Amino acid sequence: MIDSARLAAELKALALAPFRIDGHDARDALQALAEAALPGVIRPSEQHALLGVPCRVLAVAHDRLLLRAAIRPELLAPAWQSAVAAFPQGQHILRFTAHALRPADEDNARPHPADGVRATGARLCCDYPADVWRVHRRSLFRVAPPEAPPLRLHAHAPRGAGPWLGVVIDLGIGGLAFEVVMNHVPCDVDAILAACHLADGTYSSPPFDLRVRSVHPGAIPGHWRIGAALLNPPRAVISSLQLATYRFEIAQRRRR
């Protein structure tokens, strides 16, 4: 039987496959990160989304990348040996795996123009990434679940107004949009929806809290579209929603 970590890795590879860039395109994209000194985040793995620390690419060589990250070098092994880096780049996010992350050697430890006057963190290097992905931000963070069976949000309404049963419109690791049917405005912006969970018959998430970000009338009278962000989610919730997002992305691409 396949374990959850391996399943998550395989689903990630399938979901990101259309966004993979190779050769000169990948090298140019990495070089642009270094030249513009764009800030990003690096974390031990996809399962450690809350452990991300600031990171920058300083230089790109044929066999390695030189980085600066807020990581103590003595803590690198073994937790950071397959670290995941993500850098906003215009309307996209550039992602790669920083294999064999380690302190920079003597040659790489010399002052580098990209360090800047206020450089902080350790000088590190990693193997040149075998895979680089350039993902549109919307494609990465939100995906529409299949219409059948519907993915339903079970939530406690604000002010003790009873339970809600909404239909999820789109979902990502940062939040979701869903629709409820009511004859009045369901809630205010910034309302807290506590102890929510998602279920579609085969998938059920751990409980999580949401903060309402938008409330709009739907196309049908009595239907309301609500956008909400995750509120201080634990790692188990992020991992669960990430796995569901990848699964829905794969199903979406198969329908095309």
Side-chain angles (χ1 to χ4, degrees):
M1 179 180 292
I2 187 170
D3 61 41
S4 59
R6 183 179 168 193
L7 177 61
E10 291 187 1
L11 287 173
K12 179 178 79 70
L14 286 171
L16 291 177
F19 306 107
R20 188 174 185 269
I21 55 176
D22 299 298
H24 293 299
D25 286 343
R27 185 169 293 275
D28 288 347
L30 293 170
Q31 188 64 45
L33 294 180
E35 291 174 357
L38 294 175
V41 172
I42 192 167
R43 56 184 182 269
S45 71
E46 292 286 2
Q47 283 70 49
H48 294 83
L50 297 183
L51 297 183
V53 298
C55 178
R56 284 195 295 129
V57 176
L58 299 181
V60 181
H62 74 281
D63 62 344
R64 67 181 66 183
L65 302 181
L66 178 62
L67 311 171
R68 181 175 288 283
I71 306 170
R72 291 165 55 189
E74 64 269 23
L75 300 180
L76 286 176
W80 290 81
Q81 292 309 291
S82 293
V84 177
F87 291 82
Q89 195 176 47
Q91 295 301 310
H92 297 85
I93 291 182
L94 201 71
R95 294 161 59 102
F96 60 86
T97 301
H99 286 297
L101 193 63
R102 56 199 182 274
D105 58 29
E106 287 301 317
D107 289 337
N108 284 332
R110 295 173 185 170
H112 191 280
D115 273 336
V117 177
R118 297 183 179 180
T120 58
R123 295 280 297 278
L124 308 170
C125 63
C126 67
D127 293 346
Y128 188 88
D131 297 300
V132 178
W133 300 277
R134 184 164 52 207
V135 186
H136 194 279
R137 295 190 188 197
R138 184 68 178 179
S139 298
L140 180 63
F141 292 122
R142 290 294 178 96
V143 64
E147 293 183 3
L151 180 64
R152 297 193 180 276
L153 174 73
H154 300 256
H156 294 285
R159 298 187 294 274
W164 281 358
L165 186 62
V167 176
V168 176
I169 299 169
D170 60 41
L171 171 71
I173 59 174
L176 52 85
F178 64 97
E179 187 175 73
V180 294
V181 179
M182 292 188 181
N183 57 10
H184 54 81
V185 178
C187 62
D188 298 325
V189 173
D190 283 334
I192 304 299
L193 308 180
C196 307
H197 76 275
L198 302 171
D200 66 0
T202 58
Y203 164 76
S204 182
S205 75
F208 54 86
D209 297 338
L210 292 170
R211 183 186 296 276
V212 174
R213 294 301 190 192
S214 62
V215 181
H216 298 292
I220 302 173
H223 289 238
W224 298 87
R225 178 173 176 143
I226 299 174
L230 288 173
L231 183 62
N232 301 320
R235 295 179 201 168
V237 168
I238 292 175
S239 295
S240 178
L241 296 188
Q242 187 176 51
L243 187 60
T245 300
Y246 291 149
R247 179 166 65 90
F248 296 148
E249 176 72 16
I250 291 168
Q252 197 177 78
R253 293 184 181 282
R254 284 175 177 166
R255 289 198 302 271
R256 295 172 188 165

